[in-house]
Amino acid sequence: MNLTLTCACTLALALPSIRLEAKPSLPASDETLATEKMHLAPGFAAELIYEVPREQGSWVALTEDKKGRLIASDQYGGLYRVTLPIIGSNDEPKVEHLKIPNSINGKPIGGAHGLLYAFNSLYVMVNEMAGKGIWRLRDTDGDDQFDTAEYLRKCDGGGEHGTHALVLGPDGNSIYFVNGNHTKPPENLDLIRPFSMGEDHLLNRLWDPNGHARGILAPGGCVCKMDPDGKRVELFAGGFRNSYDIAFDANGELFTYDSDMEWDMGTPWYMPTRINHIVSGGDYGWRSGAGRWPAYYADSLPAVIDIGPGSPTGTIFGTGAKFPARYQRALFALDWTFGTLWAIHFKPDGASFKAEKEEFVSGKPMPFTDAIIRREDGAMYFTIGGRKSQSALYRVTYTGSESTAAAANVAPTLEANLRHHLETLQEPGTGPDATALAWPSLASKDRFLRYAAREAIERQPSAAWAEKALAETHPQAAIEALIALARVGDKALQSKLIVSLERFDFANLPAELQLPYLRAWQLVFTRMGKPAPEICEKLVTRFDPLFPNTDLLVNRELVSLLVYLDSRSIVAKTVPQLDTVKDTNISIASDAVLSRNDHYSKAVEGMHDSHPNREAIAYAYALREAKVGWSPELRKTYFGWFPHTTQWNGGNSFRGYLETIRKESLKKCVTDETERIALDKLSKEALIAVPSNIIMPKGPGKEYTAGEIANLAKDGLKGRNFEQGKAMFTSQLCINCHHFGGAGGNSGPDLTESGRRYSVRDLAENIVSPSKVISDQYPSEQLDLNDGGTVVGRVVVEENGKLFVMTSAFAPNSLTTVDAANVKSRQRSNISMMPPGLLAALNKDELLDLFAYILSAGNPQDAKFK
């Protein structure tokens, strides 16, 4: 789960006025639960079933047992069983705290992110407590209580990017589970798919400058398949960042809603949250830091549809719902950050799908965590909560006039059936016939068919099909075959691979083959090593005339390739373009952000004027590795470009990436120390104006509790003063640590969309008691030193035997250097770097104006200021 205070932008479609129902016997005591603030698709109604008491935690996972009862998991605590009232009844649900057998170390099983009731057992994916991994609970004496617990598989991971959901396989005899990118695949796997997953970066990758996922390699987030007893486990697909849930459609096709890395916004490697069609052996391109693969890499698979920034949580298909047919076939994907439950409508597209998205349910705040279609009544049940915020259970039913009869199944396409057959050839022991059967599909126009065929061929001994690959003449089939051979073939074949690739003239290749062709060249080098200088020089002669190209994505790959091959002219041709090249992907970064909702658009009005040029950043990223072709004039122009980037806005790591590119360029591209000092000064010249006329609070203030703040706002935030709220956000140093509306610091979470996931009370608790819940993305550590000293802070960088520690969130660039050899022990600190007491200087009006400013996403037109 990506239950973090993440980046800040979403689409809020205008929906008609919808009838909503709330149980009269369950009045909402928290504004988080108010159904009148929800919007639903036409014809649907929502009803509050259960307001989760604070002592029962915050529910993040659901499953249905054989008696139609729901079982829910508190993110940091136990399991609860809910006997539901029938639709239309005013009865209250019965909620039981399940008595769970002890796990290892005598501690109860809990803290689960995933639940599945199947095979007369409750499978529990433990995340936050002892015994991380998959547990199987059973009732062996028939008393309707689980009395045995079996530890099936250890999953080495935890937290928001840890162990996640489990679902029943379409064959009815297997279980699939998904884990985030901070979780290692289970040990002793019986089968590994994809077969040959690597990092495959032509140039040295930059790790995240804030330290997130530093050192974590492929497969990152992954999906595994196991038998009911957990005896046989295989890696099914990988390359995800942090998918919290997975879901099968009626035909057994698997999908997920994968997260973005919001800290990367503004960079060339940023990708929004997206819906992925998960196939056997699929690699979906997540690599840590700046290594995230672009969607066009031929050895990975693209998204079915991009959603935008967000924090994906639960997914479920509408199969079995008493909804109109369109919604029975839809994937429902939940977003915690922006309070949106999407309906994803698929249309077959060859061996995969295209899709459209629809806002099915949304609210403010409405931090969605999980959803389920209940067999007993065909209704949707969903939970909100997470990270100890107010939790609740809702029911969604259809009250419109359309038929809710079971929808007819949409038959798989011929291409989908062929893909399924190719996937059977990926099983071990299929033999040489697999190569012959799969080979024709290498020439297919369908990307998913080509991928399935290549994966099947890679599983056969490469010596048996290497000559066939080297001799292939069909351009599409040859590129796929040579990619396969580069990935799994003997390194001694590199020279033959180069000769085979040289047979194809780049200029005469169809446009759709040019990027795969360049990727094939990259893999020949990443898997088999850099060729001899004379070979590199020959290849430079081949590729140098191709740059610049009319396709800017081709240009990205050519710059990297030519820098790698030590072209003496690529620097001179690329540096002048830093200020002239256009950004082809503004829609992914800025336009998509601005379109997600109108009030966010207003909050970051004018952002286009400071929008980062992703193409120029991609060029600078590659040029930092250039060892030849520099002149004093080119270096001056190149380093003189960096001050212009200080006007650009991006995610929490955006500024750090640019600074790292600048520093690495100084180290690798400049040899004269005097020149390096001058260029260092030139490239650090700031263009950002320092804020002035800061308005300080008048007070008198006091030490507020979260309950007191909630009580002050019990009648709603109305008639507040926008300018005073904005001034308090600056004077209380919020802007120093937090991004807001595309500006601000990066040492804390982005606060722009707080209003979509937090009530006043929940936001108050995060400010008043910042150490209560500390996001995995903003940890701090205590370093006990051999010399008796102690350093507490966030380890930002570890390199060359030193740790660089941010000890103050208000001074993120002032790092304390610690010799790694002097560290006696290091452990996670339970103290947040955000200090308490930040509200103590504010009087009542200043406090409420500040909360209105934050919860409105800085929109002066919000109703809170009317």
Side-chain angles (χ1 to χ4, degrees):
M1 182 182 294
N2 205 11
L3 295 186
T4 54
L5 292 173
T6 54
C7 75
C9 9
T10 193
L11 169 66
L13 301 176
L15 295 175
S17 178
I18 306 299
R19 181 174 69 88
L20 297 126
E21 301 170 348
K23 297 179 74 64
S25 58
L26 288 173
S29 62
D30 191 293
E31 67 169 308
T32 306
L33 312 180
T35 52
E36 65 269 16
K37 293 192 175 186
M38 296 168 58
H39 295 282
L40 284 85
F44 288 88
E47 146 182 43
L48 174 63
I49 297 296
Y50 185 63
E51 177 180 346
V52 180
R54 296 277 177 169
E55 60 268 20
Q56 291 181 358
S58 203
W59 294 0
V60 297
L62 292 172
T63 191
E64 180 183 6
D65 71 10
K66 62 182 178 182
K67 295 184 179 181
R69 299 169 298 189
L70 300 186
I71 300 177
S73 172
D74 168 21
Q75 183 180 359
Y76 304 105
L79 304 179
Y80 297 85
R81 186 163 60 195
V82 184
T83 302
L84 295 160
I86 63 172
I87 295 175
S89 167
N90 287 328
D91 295 340
E92 296 189 11
K94 176 185 176 183
V95 180
E96 309 166 67
H97 186 191
L98 290 176
K99 298 177 181 178
I100 304 299
N102 286 345
S103 69
I104 58 175
N105 300 325
K107 296 182 179 180
I109 294 172
H113 281 196
L115 298 173
L116 171 65
Y117 192 91
F119 310 110
N120 289 317
S121 307
L122 177 64
Y123 293 86
V124 182
M125 181 66 89
V126 174
N127 179 290
E128 305 282 357
M129 297 174 69
K132 291 178 172 60
I134 304 172
W135 289 81
R136 185 179 191 176
L137 310 183
R138 300 192 208 193
D139 173 13
T140 61
D141 57 12
D143 67 350
D144 205 26
Q145 293 291 328
F146 298 109
D147 50 59
T148 65
E150 182 183 5
Y151 194 22
L152 298 185
R153 281 281 174 156
K154 177 184 178 181
C155 292
D156 189 5
E160 295 164 0
H161 290 240
T163 59
H164 293 323
L166 312 102
V167 300
L168 184 66
D171 60 3
N173 197 38
S174 60
I175 294 172
Y176 290 70
F177 60 91
V178 61
N179 289 328
N181 60 340
H182 286 187
T183 304
K184 297 177 182 178
E187 297 178 353
N188 302 317
L189 294 173
D190 293 273
L191 181 64
I192 297 178
R193 320 181 192 191
F195 178 73
S196 183
M197 179 176 276
E199 295 297 298
D200 294 316
H201 300 129
L202 194 62
L203 301 177
N204 291 320
R205 168 248 314 277
L206 293 183
W207 297 104
D208 184 281
N210 285 322
H212 182 77
R214 180 179 287 267
I216 295 179
L217 304 178
C222 64
V223 174
C224 295
K225 176 184 178 182
M226 75 175 190
D227 64 89
D229 297 323
K231 304 298 184 185
R232 183 178 188 272
V233 180
E234 63 177 275
L235 176 64
F236 186 77
F240 303 103
R241 180 173 183 261
N242 191 32
S243 297
Y244 180 70
D245 205 353
I246 49 179
F248 286 100
D249 73 1
N251 287 327
E253 299 287 1
L254 184 60
F255 295 84
T256 192
Y257 181 20
D258 196 16
S259 67
D260 62 346
M261 176 42 169
E262 64 276 10
W263 290 4
D264 291 352
M265 288 186 69
T267 69
W269 46 90
Y270 172 74
M271 281 197 178
T273 67
R274 57 209 164 277
I275 302 297
N276 288 121
H277 176 203
I278 306 175
V279 299
S280 172
D283 184 341
Y284 295 84
W286 179 85
R287 300 295 188 272
S288 188
R292 207 303 175 200
W293 291 3
Y296 54 76
Y297 272 9
D299 47 333
S300 68
L301 289 168
V304 177
I305 185 173
D306 288 334
I307 301 298
S311 294
T313 48
T315 58
I316 189 73
F317 269 91
T319 309
K322 293 189 182 300
F323 291 175
R326 170 178 171 83
Y327 294 99
Q328 292 182 46
R329 300 189 183 107
L331 172 71
F332 295 98
L334 284 63
D335 178 8
W336 184 81
T337 295
F338 298 109
T340 306
L341 196 164
W342 298 99
I344 310 298
H345 303 286
F346 295 102
K347 180 180 180 181
D349 181 35
S352 187
F353 300 86
K354 293 180 179 178
E356 295 178 349
K357 62 184 179 181
E358 173 193 4
E359 234 180 57
F360 183 69
V361 183
S362 62
K364 182 182 178 182
M366 191 61 59
F368 292 99
T369 54
D370 203 7
I372 192 170
I373 302 297
R374 186 170 176 245
R375 295 186 304 272
E376 292 288 312
D377 54 24
M380 173 189 284
Y381 292 81
F382 68 79
T383 48
I384 64 169
R387 297 194 67 217
K388 298 187 179 180
S389 63
Q390 176 62 58
S391 193
L393 173 68
Y394 292 85
R395 175 162 56 200
V396 176
T397 54
Y398 182 68
T399 58
S401 58
E402 293 185 53
S403 171
T404 58
N409 195 28
V410 177
T413 63
L414 293 175
E415 294 90 343
N417 286 330
L418 176 55
R419 174 174 55 78
H420 294 153
H421 174 63
L422 291 170
E423 289 168 356
T424 66
L425 303 178
Q426 299 172 7
E427 295 284 351
T430 51
D433 288 345
T435 300
L437 292 170
W439 203 273
S441 293
L442 293 178
S444 173
K445 294 183 178 180
D446 190 299
R447 182 170 177 178
F448 276 73
L449 286 181
R450 297 195 304 271
Y451 189 95
R454 179 179 54 75
E455 284 288 325
I457 291 167
E458 286 186 9
R459 280 167 175 70
Q460 313 310 317
S462 61
W465 50 268
E467 291 303 321
K468 184 177 179 67
L470 294 168
E472 178 62 60
T473 58
H474 187 286
Q476 179 71 82
I479 290 171
E480 293 289 340
L482 295 174
I483 284 176
L485 191 57
R487 282 163 52 89
V488 302
D490 192 295
K491 292 183 179 181
L493 292 172
Q494 186 186 59
S495 59
K496 290 185 176 182
L497 275 161
I498 290 174
V499 170
S500 292
L501 284 169
E502 285 180 326
R503 289 185 289 118
F504 299 99
D505 182 4
F506 179 90
N508 291 328
L509 286 174
E512 65 272 15
L513 294 186
Q514 291 181 342
L515 285 168
Y517 178 70
L518 293 175
R519 180 59 174 166
W521 279 104
Q522 291 177 6
L523 290 165
V524 169
F525 304 139
T526 63
R527 293 295 176 111
M528 297 179 168
K530 189 170 184 175
E534 61 271 17
I535 302 298
C536 291
E537 187 174 350
K538 177 185 175 184
L539 294 175
V540 166
T541 303
R542 179 182 187 86
F543 289 109
D544 219 28
L546 302 178
F547 182 85
N549 192 275
T550 55
D551 186 324
L552 294 183
L553 295 180
V554 167
N555 280 341
R556 282 194 195 184
E557 303 306 321
L558 284 172
V559 170
S560 295
L561 183 60
L562 286 164
V563 167
Y564 176 84
L565 293 171
D566 296 320
S567 164
R568 295 185 176 278
S569 64
I570 191 60
V571 172
K573 291 197 291 185
T574 306
V575 168
Q577 296 202 37
L578 291 174
D579 288 322
T580 60
V581 65
K582 294 182 178 179
D583 188 344
T584 60
N585 291 292
I586 289 179
S587 61
I588 294 178
S590 175
D591 289 345
V593 168
L594 294 175
S595 68
R596 289 206 63 158
N597 58 60
D598 182 62
H599 75 261
Y600 187 76
S601 298
K602 289 179 169 54
V604 292
E605 189 172 353
M607 183 177 173
H608 279 285
D609 297 334
S610 57
H611 177 267
N613 188 322
R614 291 154 54 102
E615 301 304 322
I617 295 172
Y619 290 173
Y621 182 85
L623 289 174
R624 86 187 200 284
E625 293 279 311
K627 302 178 182 64
V628 296
W630 291 100
S631 68
E633 293 76 16
L634 285 171
R635 281 193 285 265
K636 187 174 182 180
T637 302
Y638 174 68
F639 286 99
W641 169 80
F642 283 94
H644 296 281
T645 69
T646 61
Q647 298 283 2
W648 295 347
N649 294 316
N652 282 3
S653 293
F654 176 77
R655 183 58 46 203
Y657 274 121
L658 286 171
E659 177 63 6
T660 305
I661 292 172
R662 188 188 73 85
K663 287 182 176 179
E664 288 205 358
S665 299
L666 284 167
K667 181 170 61 176
K668 296 179 180 181
C669 305
V670 188
T671 58
D672 181 78
E673 184 62 24
T674 300
E675 185 183 15
R676 181 181 290 113
I677 293 172
L679 293 175
D680 182 33
K681 181 180 179 181
L682 171 66
S683 58
K684 287 195 298 188
E685 291 179 354
L687 300 180
I688 296 179
V690 177
S692 59
N693 301 321
I694 296 177
I695 300 174
M696 300 303 294
K698 298 177 182 177
K702 59 167 289 186
E703 291 288 346
Y704 296 94
T705 67
E708 288 172 333
I709 295 172
N711 188 57
L712 289 174
K714 64 181 180 180
D715 296 326
L717 294 169
K718 303 173 184 177
R720 304 317 312 170
N721 185 320
F722 174 83
E723 292 299 333
Q724 180 160 276
K726 181 178 181 180
M728 295 304 100
F729 192 80
T730 300
S731 68
Q732 299 314 104
L733 304 181
C734 307
I735 194 68
N736 285 31
C737 299
H738 298 278
H739 245 51
F740 192 78
N746 298 319
S747 55
D750 192 309
L751 298 183
T752 316
E753 283 301 330
S754 298
R756 284 193 171 266
R757 57 186 179 268
Y758 289 132
S759 66
V760 169
R761 183 187 184 92
D762 287 329
L763 179 61
E765 285 187 345
N766 275 275
I767 299 174
V768 173
S769 304
S771 297
K772 183 177 181 181
V773 180
I774 303 174
S775 167
D776 289 353
Q777 297 192 47
Y778 300 92
S780 58
E781 294 182 77
Q782 177 175 316
L783 308 179
D784 293 322
L785 308 182
N786 291 321
D787 60 13
T790 298
V791 176
V792 178
R794 186 178 307 152
V795 178
V796 177
V797 178
E798 297 181 47
E799 61 183 11
N800 300 324
K802 295 185 182 298
L803 284 67
F804 298 88
V805 186
M806 178 175 64
T807 56
S808 170
F810 298 118
N813 296 321
S814 180
L815 302 180
T816 299
T817 304
V818 178
D819 288 330
N822 190 30
V823 177
K824 181 179 180 181
S825 66
R826 55 189 294 186
Q827 58 187 339
R828 180 80 176 260
S829 173
N830 58 4
I831 304 299
S832 171
M833 292 195 69
M834 176 178 171
L838 292 177
L839 303 176
L842 308 182
N843 61 37
K844 171 188 172 183
D845 287 325
E846 291 166 337
L847 176 83
L848 294 179
D849 291 341
L850 171 62
F851 271 65
Y853 178 73
I854 295 173
L855 295 174
S856 71
N859 176 17
Q861 304 304 315
D862 190 276
K864 296 177 180 61
F865 304 113
K866 295 180 181 178

